[in-house]
Amino acid sequence: MPTYRDRAVVLRTHKLGEADRIITMLTRDHGKVRAVARGIRRTSSKFGGRLDPFNLIDIQLVIGRNLDVVAQVESLHAYSAPLRLDYPLFTAAEVMVEAADHLVPVEKEPSPAQYRLLAGALRVLGAGTTDGPRPPAMVLDSYLLRALAAAGYAPDLVDCVRCGAPGPHPGFSPSLGGMVCVNCQPPGTPHPNSETIGYLQALLTGDWAATRTVAPVRVREGSGLVAAFVSWHMERGLRSLPIMDRTSD
């Protein structure tokens, strides 16, 4: 039977029959893949916990008629173990894998940028950024902004998203996709603090050093803007986002 090998982040699993599971994963070279792991729910399974959500794995798959079949799995980074021990980290990771699942809607369509962003974000959650540890909400918001940008939904955080007038501008419109001038802003447009917008710019570019001294109130305001932006630009929103634990911010 024809096989292929790839690296992948496990997104979610579903029970199948009495002993099997369907594993949904985001691979480096083949995009989103669903595959059957035979006998994984038995205590004697050769796969163990390597196919738990959040884990980074090296996997060999047998090409099937409807679903591929897991043949071999090697654990590269067992992110699930530390993340499951910390509720804020766990809820942030849940949002990340759900977002990745939505942002790569077509199976077997390569999405290397989304793979790299997800794998990197899960690593940063547990190991910290290049500038030291950051709150889970901050890491999550950076991932969401960058993943949406990679999918073609980058927010404009400088110029007016409607008329193009050079910024800075006072309003942020989630529905329009970024900053808006006073002439273009819809009714009820929020006017976030300018420091919050600068903070979101740092998250979008991955400038972790610039987030070192951001006040918690700015992090919370930024999270609200990111959540509103996500709800507008992802078709069904994210079911796991409201349960995100922000008590550690």
Side-chain angles (χ1 to χ4, degrees):
M1 299 290 289
T3 65
Y4 63 98
R5 199 172 195 95
D6 208 340
R7 291 192 170 198
V9 174
V10 180
L11 303 180
R12 54 190 169 88
T13 69
H14 290 99
K15 291 180 181 179
L16 178 67
E18 294 184 357
D20 305 338
R21 283 190 184 275
I22 295 176
I23 313 297
T24 301
M25 65 199 91
L26 182 57
T27 71
R28 180 181 59 185
D29 300 322
H30 296 83
K32 187 164 69 176
V33 173
R34 291 194 310 143
V36 177
R38 305 288 190 195
I40 192 173
R41 289 158 55 201
R42 297 192 180 100
T43 56
S44 59
S45 171
K46 62 180 180 180
F47 301 126
R50 284 169 283 180
L51 290 171
D52 287 344
F54 315 145
N55 284 347
L56 181 66
I57 57 175
D58 185 286
I59 189 165
Q60 184 176 12
L61 296 160
V62 177
I63 297 176
R65 181 177 300 176
N66 297 314
L67 292 173
D68 296 342
V69 178
V70 178
Q72 294 180 352
V73 184
E74 294 181 13
S75 177
L76 299 177
H77 293 286
Y79 294 128
S80 65
L83 296 182
R84 289 181 183 277
L85 297 176
D86 186 296
Y87 189 69
L89 293 178
F90 174 78
T91 54
E94 281 282 332
V95 178
M96 288 178 181
V97 296
E98 184 186 355
D101 199 1
H102 286 325
L103 290 171
V104 186
V106 181
E107 293 184 23
K108 297 289 183 75
E109 186 174 285
S111 300
Q114 294 293 347
Y115 166 82
R116 289 194 300 270
L117 285 168
L118 179 61
L122 291 171
R123 176 185 56 77
V124 167
L125 265 184
T129 74
T130 53
D131 193 63
R134 292 293 187 273
M138 189 181 291
V139 178
L140 171 63
D141 289 340
S142 178
Y143 166 73
L144 290 173
L145 287 172
R146 299 175 76 182
L148 281 164
Y153 302 106
D156 193 326
L157 298 173
V158 180
D159 300 330
C160 178
V161 72
R162 174 171 278 176
C163 72
H169 296 295
F172 179 88
S173 173
S175 60
L176 294 179
M179 305 307 295
V180 285
C181 66
V182 293
N183 296 319
C184 294
Q185 62 184 13
T189 297
H191 286 192
N193 188 286
S194 61
E195 292 182 3
T196 301
I197 298 304
Y199 160 66
L200 292 183
Q201 290 171 332
L203 293 186
L204 182 58
T205 59
D207 184 1
W208 291 112
T211 70
R212 192 180 304 164
T213 59
V214 176
V217 65
R218 302 280 74 87
V219 175
R220 289 192 293 271
E221 185 177 42
S223 290
L225 297 177
V226 172
F229 184 77
V230 166
S231 69
W232 271 101
H233 297 282
M234 296 185 71
E235 287 185 7
R236 298 185 299 275
L238 297 175
R239 291 178 299 174
S240 55
L241 190 56
I243 68 168
M244 170 61 195
D245 188 309
R246 301 187 184 277
T247 57
S248 62
D249 296 354

